[in-house]
């Protein structure tokens, strides 16, 4: 397996499947026909459950007309209008395939708009796999990274220091709506930090880019920081935007419209109409049912249930971060021995969890599904506690 370690079963506990056969609703089946309740949701895309009929029917209707034509279809305009009417800070939208396309394009637009070079990002934070964002240095040069300046998430002083060190040359600040690094507890954004990032960007004339590739449409359909009253200049979306169809979007404020039309970005499939039709259906439905709110109750039940079971079995665990996309952190587990043993035991029982990356719930993960899962995780906790006691 190449690339991302998330896709490589060798880096996972032994029972994790490598190849997948199909999905439906909250469940997915591996190639050996084992059924799992899927708390990875393809690492985000499945916002409305696998093979959501509303989305798949919209995609099929467009597929019957044509997908990749010699330019965009009317779906592109409809999708842009839907996003700009849903997301208050968005006055325009452009589309690509991957989250990396959207974050990279945002940086380019910021450089055009400001005539500057530096990009401020939080240390460790993942914003994509291009030469300057990729977290692994294999195959990239120091020059590729030369314009990245890091600060600590939720730390206003370090952000101010990073900006001051490159006074006059900061093109953009890119930030995720909450801290969702792998391996460590997720952290909500400190509202004072969000406001400080906004104020700093405005003061120094830099562009504020919110990276909602992972969180988009799971926290707030209007944009994750809308509830805080903090509006970025651009936001990148992908993953959940079309419930599994390949598309990403970059939306932005009017002040950046000209700069956005100047950058050269394209791809062979960027105008494909089927994913745009799927995105329209996904966003419309997510707004209609308020997907983030709908997932909250099952998410809270899942969190409370697992935490109570962990306590009961002597394996205290926290589900950190938003309940729609929680990350498991066991107490006193620096080598993740407990996390690996527990998720392995859960996977053998048909519950696909993750030992060190945030997980994802969808609107198909109902309270009933969570209750079914909690009966199985209780057994997984019992087995793990027994095994760890025997090993110590
Ligand atoms: N930003 C964030 C926050 C992400 O989680 C990801 C993907 N995990 C990306 C950017 C890159 O998206 P993609 O893999 O679609 O290029």
């Amino acid at each position: 397996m190449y690339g991302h370690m998330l896709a490589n079963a060798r880096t996972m506990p032994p029972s994790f499947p490598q190849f997948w056969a199909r999905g439906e609703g909250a469940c997915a089946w591996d190639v050996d026909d084992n059924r799992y309740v899927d708390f990875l949701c393809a690492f985000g895309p499945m916002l409305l459950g696998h093979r959501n009929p509303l989305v798949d029917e919209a995609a099929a209707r467009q597929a019957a007309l044509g997908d990749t034509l010699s330019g965009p279809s009317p779906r592109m305009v409809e999708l842009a209008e839907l996003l700009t009417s849903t997301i208050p800070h968005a006055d325009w939208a452009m589309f690509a395939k991957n989250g990396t396309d959207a974050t990279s394009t945002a940086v380019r637009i910021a450089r055009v708009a400001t005539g500057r070079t530096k990009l401020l990002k939080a240390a460790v934070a993942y914003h994509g796999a291009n030469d300057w964002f990729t977290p692994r240095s294999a195959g990239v040069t120091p020059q590729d990274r030369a314009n990245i300046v890091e600060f600590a998430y939720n730390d206003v002083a370090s952000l101010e220091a990073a900006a001051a060190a490159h006074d006059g040359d900061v093109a953009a600040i890119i930030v995720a709506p909450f801290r969702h690094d792998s391996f460590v507890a997720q952290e909500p954004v400190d509202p004072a930090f969000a406001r400080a990032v906004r104020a700093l960007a405005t003061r120094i004339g830099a562009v504020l880019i919110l990276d909602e590739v992972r969180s988009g449409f799971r926290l707030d359909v209007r944009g994750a920081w809308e509830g805080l009253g903090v509006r970025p200049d651009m936001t990148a979306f992908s993953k959940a935007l079309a419930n599994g169809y390949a598309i990403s979007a970059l939306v932005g404020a009017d002040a950046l419209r000209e700069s956005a039309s100047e950058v050269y970005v394209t791809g062979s499939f960027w105008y494909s109409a089927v994913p745009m039709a799927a995105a329209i259906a996904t966003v419309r439905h997510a707004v209609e049912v308020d997907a983030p709110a709908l997932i909250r109750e099952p998410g809270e039940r899942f969190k409370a249930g697992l935490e109570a079971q962990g306590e009961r079995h002597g394996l205290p665990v926290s589900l950190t971060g938003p309940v729609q996309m929680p990350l498991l952190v066991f107490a006193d587990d620096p080598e993740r021995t407990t996390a690996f043993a527990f998720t392995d035991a859960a996977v053998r029982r048909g519950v696909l969890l993750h030992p060190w990356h945030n997980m994802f719930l969808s609107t198909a993960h109902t309270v009933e599904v969570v209750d079914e899962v909690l009966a199985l995780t209780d057994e997984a906790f019992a087995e793990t506690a027994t095994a760890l006691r025997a090993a110590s």
Side-chain angles (χ1 to χ4, degrees), residues 84-148:
T84 55
S85 63
T86 303
I87 301 161
H89 75 82
D91 297 316
W92 51 262
M94 53 199 287
F95 303 102
K97 287 288 111 183
N98 295 293
T100 304
D101 304 330
T103 54
S104 310
T105 300
V107 174
R108 239 185 242 176
I109 292 169
R111 288 189 173 130
V112 172
T114 60
R116 304 174 185 173
T117 54
K118 299 292 186 223
L119 170 65
L120 269 49
K121 72 174 275 294
V124 188
Y126 186 66
H127 296 294
N130 70 13
D131 287 347
W132 67 82
F133 283 140
T134 182
R136 264 189 264 156
S137 57
V140 301
T141 66
Q143 289 86 339
D144 291 325
R145 313 260 189 179
N147 291 314
I148 299 280

Side-chain angles (χ1 to χ4, degrees), residues 162-183:
H166 298 278
D167 191 24
D169 197 27
V170 178
I173 306 169
I174 185 165
V175 67
F178 66 98
R179 188 173 168 216
H180 53 42
D181 304 333
S182 297
F183 303 110

